[in-house]
Amino acid sequence: QVQLVQSGAEVKKPGASVKVSCKASGYTFSSYYLHWVRQAPGQGLEWMGVIDPSGDSTIYAQKFQGRVTMTRDTSTSTVYMELNSLRSEDTAVYYCARGVVRGLIANWFDPWGQGTLLTVSS
Amino acid sequence: DIQLTQSPSFLSASVGDRVTITCRASQGISTDLAWYQQKPGKAPKLLIYAASTLQSAVPSRFSGSGSGTEFTLTIGSLQPEDFATYYCHHFNNFPLTFGGGTKVEIK
């Protein structure tokens, strides 16, 4: 079955960087865009950006431009989300999610990864 | 950016009740809207896409309607497992955005 498995929880200090992974299985990795969404504690969902696993092109939400980098490794069917210059407001659960329609970049999401909790604290 | 406004943000209901949640977009998005259900500590789960198409394996008591700027999610007869938070999500253009969520609690 289609599955996204994310890396484990992270604790970082302000100013540091974090790199979260999302390993895909059960489908052709290069055929579906992968998105990143985050959720601060007790808050709603916030879209961060999307990567095309076939060509490595990306679109980032303006809020994260300059601080986020999404990459992929086709040999392991894994995408990565790196966030720099961390601050306490970045404390959140980070999800990867697959676009449902093959080749459609603006898309709805299914499935989602299980989430990775990032805690930023001094 | 397209803003999605959900209402209510919180509702209290009983098992068996019919529940309706509204999502209003700040500009027209055709039917480029999805609904998700999220339970505490879990990832969101897709319920409805293209405004009214039920995702596979989702119970038929869930339904969606609307186009343009106004959309609704209806739960025909609330079940114990439906107590959760619901989010709308537009995919009309970038940036993709979500509504603020509607938490459905037991009365």
Side-chain angles (χ1 to χ4, degrees):
Chain A
Q1 76 282 20
V2 177
Q3 196 172 9
L4 301 174
V5 178
Q6 298 182 222
S7 49
E10 302 266 10
V11 179
K12 297 291 183 181
K13 293 191 183 303
S17 298
V18 69
K19 192 170 187 177
V20 179
S21 69
C22 169
K23 182 173 175 61
S25 62
Y27 71 97
T28 303
F29 177 68
S30 60
S31 294
Y32 297 84
Y33 290 84
L34 279 158
H35 299 251
W36 288 90
V37 175
R38 77 177 187 179
Q39 185 171 38
Q43 302 302 307
L45 301 166
E46 181 175 34
W47 180 79
M48 299 179 69
V50 58
I51 183 168
D52 173 7
S54 69
D56 209 24
S57 62
T58 54
I59 296 175
Y60 301 137
Q62 186 171 12
K63 175 177 180 177
F64 300 101
Q65 287 274 3
R67 250 194 348 129
V68 70
T69 304
M70 297 177 188
T71 56
R72 96 298 192 217
D73 180 344
T74 56
S75 68
T76 60
S77 299
T78 302
V79 295
Y80 299 90
M81 187 283 299
E82 184 170 21
L83 190 61
N84 303 317
S85 303
L86 291 171
R87 35 212 189 224
S88 58
E89 309 89 87
D90 294 318
T91 294
V93 175
Y94 290 76
Y95 294 101
C96 60
R98 197 196 76 167
V100 170
V101 178
R102 178 176 178 156
L104 182 65
I105 187 167
N107 214 328
W108 57 99
F109 306 146
D110 185 65
W112 295 59
Q114 83 277 17
T116 297
L117 175 62
L118 168 65
T119 303
V120 182
S121 174
S122 55
Chain B
D1 299 4
I2 296 172
Q3 311 300 321
L4 297 178
T5 303
Q6 280 185 241
S7 60
S9 55
F10 173 88
L11 73 87
S12 182
S14 301
V15 172
D17 284 353
R18 179 180 179 89
V19 167
T20 298
I21 299 167
T22 298
C23 178
R24 290 188 173 87
S26 60
Q27 63 190 73
I29 56 171
S30 184
T31 55
D32 297 339
L33 191 98
W35 290 95
Y36 302 87
Q37 176 193 68
Q38 187 180 33
K39 295 183 178 179
K42 299 295 186 182
K45 172 189 170 186
L46 177 67
L47 297 176
I48 302 259
Y49 61 91
S52 62
T53 303
L54 196 66
Q55 171 70 347
S56 176
V58 172
S60 59
R61 62 181 179 272
F62 290 93
S63 63
S65 65
S67 67
T69 61
E70 187 147 339
F71 302 85
T72 59
L73 172 71
T74 299
I75 308 173
S77 176
L78 202 61
Q79 298 301 300
E81 60 268 29
D82 300 336
F83 292 95
T85 300
Y86 295 84
Y87 293 95
C88 57
H89 160 223
H90 93 79
F91 46 92
N92 183 259
N93 58 22
F94 290 104
L96 311 184
T97 59
F98 293 85
T102 296
K103 187 173 184 179
V104 178
E105 289 202 342
I106 301 173
K107 183 182 286 184

